[in-house]
Each structure stands twice: as C-alpha cells, then as structure tokens.
Amino acid sequence: MSRKEKQRRFAVSAGIGFDAAVCHEVCLSKWKRILNVFHLGKLSYAVVALRRLIKDPTVRARICLDTGEEMVCDRTYFIAGMNQKYEGGGFRFCPQASAQDGKLDVIIVEGISKWKILCLLPTAFWGGHVRFKGVSVRQCKSMEVHLESPLPIHTDGEPVFLRDEMKVCLMPDKIRVIAGC
C-alpha cells in the first residue's frame, strides 16, 4: 500500500474508512484490555464498530482497478484490499480471498443505511454479508482509491492515519511461510 510516496506492506489487508477507524480505536480502547481479561477481546471490535457506525460519516469515493473497472460510489463506508478471508476480530469480509491466487479481493461497502450495516455486521463473521446489495467484492492486482474527504487507513490493523487516497497492489515476490500445528 502506498500513500503520498510512502509505502507500507501488509499480509492480510489494507483498508480505508470504517474498518480502519475501528482498528484505530480498538488499538487504543480500554474495552479490549477489559475484555481480554475474560478472553473476550474480539468483542471489543463489535463494541467499537457499533460506536463508529453511529458516529462516522460516509464519503464519495472513486475506485480504479487494474482490470479497467472504475467506480464512483456515494455514501462509502469502507474499501479494503485483502489477501486473506478474515480481518480484525474474525470478520470474514472477503470469503473467497486466497493468498495463493495472485489476486487481491477488494470489498466495497457503500450506499446502504446505517441500520442495514448494523444488521449485516453479524453476518460478516461467516461471510453472509456479501449476498446483500451495497456490499460488493472484486478481484484485481492493484487498485487506487480517491475520496472526497480523508478517512483513516490501516495496514493489517495498524493505523496509518487520515488520508484521501490509497493505492494497494500485490508485490511481485511472495513470502514463503512454514506453519506447524
């Protein structure tokens, strides 16, 4: 992911908007510390998400994919490029994402009411949200996002602060990981 000539790498996801705002706040939240004591830290994402949903505005976004597809989305909540199915707190935002397919899965959530978002959030734990109007997933190798006003950005849940543009692309080399059980 790059912004204003600065690059950050990510393994799982890079996003702008609502998901980044939630990640930022959870990093600083007393809720996470309290819930972690009871091994319920993932609930902090739900608590913060509800608060951010009420508080945060939507924005107009222009999204350009390397596939040639260009979209203008009004009332955009968030856009994320993902290498993995899951993001913060166990949300399965891109159910078909795979680190092995050489493509980013891009989730775009826009043009729906806050009440509908509230109803869809629980379905994101198993990937059911992608069946609803206003939630779309695309595949590409790179994308550019331009917003009418700045929103928070994250890479793998780490804050990057407010920006009005974001470029995300796959790197040509892969990282090989050996995982044991």
Side-chain angles (χ1 to χ4, degrees):
M1 190 222 35
S2 68
R3 57 174 179 74
K4 306 273 188 206
E5 305 306 320
K6 293 185 182 184
Q7 294 186 355
R8 292 186 61 153
R9 294 176 190 248
F10 64 94
V12 175
S13 65
I16 191 166
F18 176 73
D19 70 326
V22 170
C23 289
H24 288 207
E25 191 168 327
V26 166
C27 285
L28 304 171
S29 173
K30 66 179 178 182
W31 284 107
K32 186 168 185 178
R33 288 190 298 274
I34 293 166
L35 291 169
N36 278 342
V37 170
F38 303 103
H39 303 286
L40 297 170
K42 288 185 178 184
L43 284 178
S44 61
Y45 287 91
V47 170
V48 170
L50 291 173
R51 191 172 106 37
R52 299 301 311 204
L53 184 61
I54 293 166
K55 177 183 172 194
D56 292 350
T58 58
V59 299
R60 184 178 176 89
R62 185 170 54 87
I63 306 159
C64 303
L65 306 180
D66 69 322
T67 61
E69 186 174 7
E70 189 170 320
M71 297 160 274
V72 175
C73 303
D74 292 317
R75 297 180 31 230
T76 305
Y77 288 92
F78 78 95
I79 302 158
M82 298 185 62
N83 275 325
Q84 303 289 330
K85 300 173 195 274
Y86 295 95
E87 190 175 72
F91 288 104
R92 193 174 184 177
F93 282 138
C94 288
Q96 303 303 315
S98 168
Q100 286 78 40
D101 66 3
K103 297 176 186 169
L104 282 171
D105 282 46
V106 176
I107 182 168
I108 304 160
V109 179
E110 57 91 18
I112 56 182
S113 72
K114 290 188 179 197
W115 286 110
K116 187 172 180 181
I117 292 272
L118 186 61
C119 293
L120 289 179
L121 265 178
T123 71
F125 282 109
W126 65 85
H129 62 294
V130 298
R131 296 187 189 118
F132 292 89
K133 184 178 178 184
V135 178
S136 60
V137 177
R138 306 285 201 283
Q139 287 189 319
C140 63
K141 291 186 185 256
S142 67
M143 75 166 167
E144 291 185 21
V145 176
H146 304 275
L147 304 177
E148 70 179 353
S149 59
L151 291 177
I153 293 179
H154 78 89
T155 53
D156 288 338
E158 296 297 320
V160 183
F161 306 108
L162 299 174
R163 297 287 181 254
D164 60 2
E165 67 178 39
M166 175 178 81
K167 297 176 185 177
V168 179
C169 67
L170 291 176
M171 300 300 289
D173 296 323
K174 293 182 181 181
I175 297 173
R176 298 189 189 276
V177 177
I178 299 172
C181 295

